[in-house]
Amino acid sequence: MRLTNVVAFCLGDIPSARVGIVEVMKQLQKEGLIDFHFYLTAHLTKEILSEADIIISVRSADSYELNIIKECKKLGKMTIYYMDDDLLNIPLYAASTDYFNTEMIRKNIISIINHSDYLLTNNIHIKEKYEPFVINRAVIINAPALLINEVTLNEHSENDNETVKIGFSGGIDHKNNIERFLKKPLTKLKHKYQDSIAFEFMGAEPELDGVDYRFIPYKTNYEEYLKEMRELHWDIGIAVLPASDFHASKYFNKYLEYGAIGAAGVYSNVEPYRFIVKSKINGLLVENTSDGWFHGLSCLIDDTVLRKAIANNSRTHLEKEFTVSKIANDCITELNELVTFRAQQCRPNQFNLNLGSKELLASKVINIFKSMGYRAPGYLVKKIIKKISKK
């Protein structure tokens, strides 16, 4: 008997896709339970779609992606939408706000979910908010801690010169939060501890009033991202978030990453970190005040025993509850159709779609002009400059 053919697609090979969907589905394939393939959206063909039983779209929002989901649903495929952010509630300061907060893109997202049998997410707030839009139901699945397969505990050791390395990893949008909550406490910490501490920031490049730090550009390619994380030897990891509905709907990725690389995490005392962190056991929860962050970080700088205990406890927790195999098993327990569903047979010429890289680019440009109007040229110029600067 043939296996269920599951096809997932995303505009880019981003960490959200890898952590939330791809590696879990690959584990199910490894166990002989499904046949799985992941494609960049631009590489999808009618032949690929015709052979699929289940289609998983990752963070889709463009009209091109909406048309794919509509056609797949019409031809009897099971459709699943994966969302790890509250895409209808993107903050105004976020780099993607001009795109996601347009009426057209918002309507596309709702329509994609409307044509999806299931919504997969990692957060209870997203489930509760978006479940009314989906055909069947929303399903909560934890994301695995992939780095535990990449980093062994004996690789992490404190520096010979006893410098405590304090790091942050996250997207560029976190720049505002770091400056808002951490500028004063980090300045005080550097004044207090001087050369016995060092700061590193990956992704976000904040202005910290003269506090020196090593900046590590964010890696959008997932393999490069894993390689960079493997080479970090942080003693303390910073996870700062404001208290807001949008941020409460995020996943506690920092907990998975810091615990995996052997760092003791210090977390804002807000959701989603309250979901997973038990303060002074597997992390440290602090209030989002200058004193809260200063005293929390000072505590772990001074208390080597507590710092190492938190790092070890979080790593042990990840190895028990957040392995790929554990999450894959949870996934089919919550959504058994992943291994049992079979779609009706269809032919490639039944898909009323124009697919390809050029067609996708044209759709994206048209979407931007239709949704943003006179602001579209400026937005496109910024995107082009950003891509050129990365190269």
Side-chain angles (χ1 to χ4, degrees):
M1 188 170 110
R2 74 176 181 87
L3 299 175
T4 301
N5 187 331
V6 180
V7 168
F9 70 90
C10 184
L11 285 174
D13 187 9
I14 58 176
S16 287
R18 286 283 183 159
V19 177
I21 295 296
V22 176
E23 298 304 321
V24 175
M25 295 300 126
K26 285 171 67 175
Q27 179 65 30
L28 292 176
Q29 182 178 41
K30 182 179 178 182
E31 295 175 10
L33 296 174
I34 65 172
D35 186 13
F36 174 71
H37 306 276
F38 172 67
Y39 297 95
L40 297 182
T41 305
H43 297 163
L44 287 175
T45 65
K46 294 179 182 180
E47 287 73 22
I48 290 169
L49 296 176
S50 67
E51 293 175 0
D53 297 298
I54 298 175
I55 304 292
I56 303 177
S57 63
V58 178
R59 294 174 61 96
S60 298
D62 192 88
S63 299
Y64 184 95
E65 297 166 297
L66 171 59
N67 291 336
I68 290 172
I69 295 301
K70 282 183 174 179
E71 282 296 298
C72 288
K73 186 62 191 165
K74 184 177 72 174
L75 292 171
K77 312 295 182 183
M78 177 181 287
T79 50
I80 298 174
Y81 188 53
Y82 175 70
M83 181 188 289
D84 62 346
D85 269 329
D86 187 354
L87 297 181
L88 297 185
N89 191 26
I90 300 294
L92 294 178
Y93 63 78
S96 58
T97 188
D98 289 339
Y99 179 75
F100 279 104
N101 282 318
T102 58
E103 183 179 358
M104 180 180 184
I105 297 305
R106 293 170 67 86
K107 286 183 176 178
N108 282 348
I109 292 169
I110 293 173
S111 187
I112 290 170
I113 302 175
N114 286 159
H115 287 84
S116 297
D117 294 292
Y118 295 96
L119 173 73
L120 279 183
T121 186
N122 317 118
N123 187 287
I124 183 63
H125 298 302
I126 291 181
K127 170 181 165 62
E128 291 174 346
K129 179 174 181 177
Y130 290 92
E131 193 161 44
F133 299 110
V134 77
I135 294 172
N136 292 331
R137 60 189 174 92
V139 179
I140 296 179
I141 300 294
N142 280 323
L146 299 181
L147 279 167
I148 61 176
N149 297 323
E150 306 290 332
V151 179
T152 58
L153 281 180
N154 59 13
E155 287 179 349
H156 176 80
S157 60
E158 300 199 357
N159 299 323
D160 293 337
N161 61 6
E162 297 183 351
T163 299
V164 177
K165 296 181 72 173
I166 304 169
F168 171 87
S169 173
I172 59 174
D173 288 343
H174 288 280
K175 177 179 185 293
N176 293 324
N177 296 327
I178 294 168
E179 293 173 353
R180 175 183 173 189
F181 296 113
L182 296 179
K183 183 178 290 188
K184 289 183 179 179
L186 294 191
T187 300
K188 288 175 64 179
L189 286 167
K190 193 61 178 175
H191 178 75
K192 177 180 178 181
Y193 294 99
Q194 298 186 19
D195 292 340
S196 62
I197 63 172
F199 298 113
E200 295 186 348
F201 286 86
M202 179 177 176
E205 190 173 9
E207 297 175 12
L208 296 177
D209 291 341
V211 175
D212 292 332
Y213 63 85
R214 176 186 172 227
F215 173 64
I216 307 165
Y218 191 76
K219 303 295 188 292
T220 53
N221 178 278
Y222 191 68
E223 296 305 322
E224 292 180 3
Y225 171 75
L226 285 180
K227 182 177 182 296
E228 192 70 62
M229 292 298 289
R230 281 197 300 266
E231 295 174 357
L232 298 175
H233 295 281
W234 293 345
D235 303 297
I236 299 172
I238 295 173
V240 57
L241 280 182
S244 74
D245 290 343
F246 172 76
H247 294 96
S249 298
K250 296 181 77 65
Y251 191 56
F252 39 80
N253 289 320
K254 301 286 189 299
Y255 177 76
L256 304 184
E257 294 172 349
Y258 295 158
I261 66 172
V266 184
Y267 306 88
S268 294
N269 188 15
V270 299
E271 294 179 354
Y273 299 127
R274 286 178 185 165
F275 293 149
I276 195 70
V277 175
K278 296 179 181 178
S279 199
K280 294 192 175 181
I281 303 297
N282 61 345
L284 192 65
L285 293 172
V286 299
E287 299 304 317
N288 272 333
T289 63
S290 181
D291 284 345
W293 278 100
F294 175 77
H295 291 302
L297 289 167
S298 293
C299 174
L300 291 192
I301 293 169
D302 294 331
D303 194 337
T304 304
V305 174
L306 178 61
R307 185 170 71 237
K308 290 184 175 180
I310 286 174
N312 289 333
N313 289 341
S314 59
R315 173 72 186 216
T316 300
H317 183 212
L318 297 181
E319 291 174 346
K320 181 179 179 181
E321 298 294 337
F322 289 88
T323 64
V324 178
S325 58
K326 171 68 165 57
I327 301 303
N329 183 69
D330 292 343
C331 197
I332 59 173
T333 298
E334 293 295 326
L335 190 57
N336 191 245
E337 289 93 331
L338 279 170
V339 297
T340 61
F341 182 80
R342 305 290 186 277
Q344 62 191 38
Q345 289 187 339
C346 65
R347 299 182 303 278
N349 61 10
Q350 291 180 262
F351 286 85
N352 183 25
L353 293 169
N354 292 316
L355 300 177
S357 300
K358 292 180 180 179
E359 288 79 4
L360 174 57
L361 178 60
S363 176
K364 290 173 71 175
V365 172
I366 291 170
N367 270 226
I368 290 170
F369 272 92
K370 281 185 176 180
S371 59
M372 298 178 66
Y374 71 91
R375 293 180 292 128
Y379 176 81
L380 288 171
V381 168
K382 285 195 295 184
K383 297 287 283 186
I384 292 170
I385 292 174
K386 185 177 178 182
K387 282 200 171 186
I388 292 174
S389 65
K390 284 182 178 180
K391 293 179 181 179

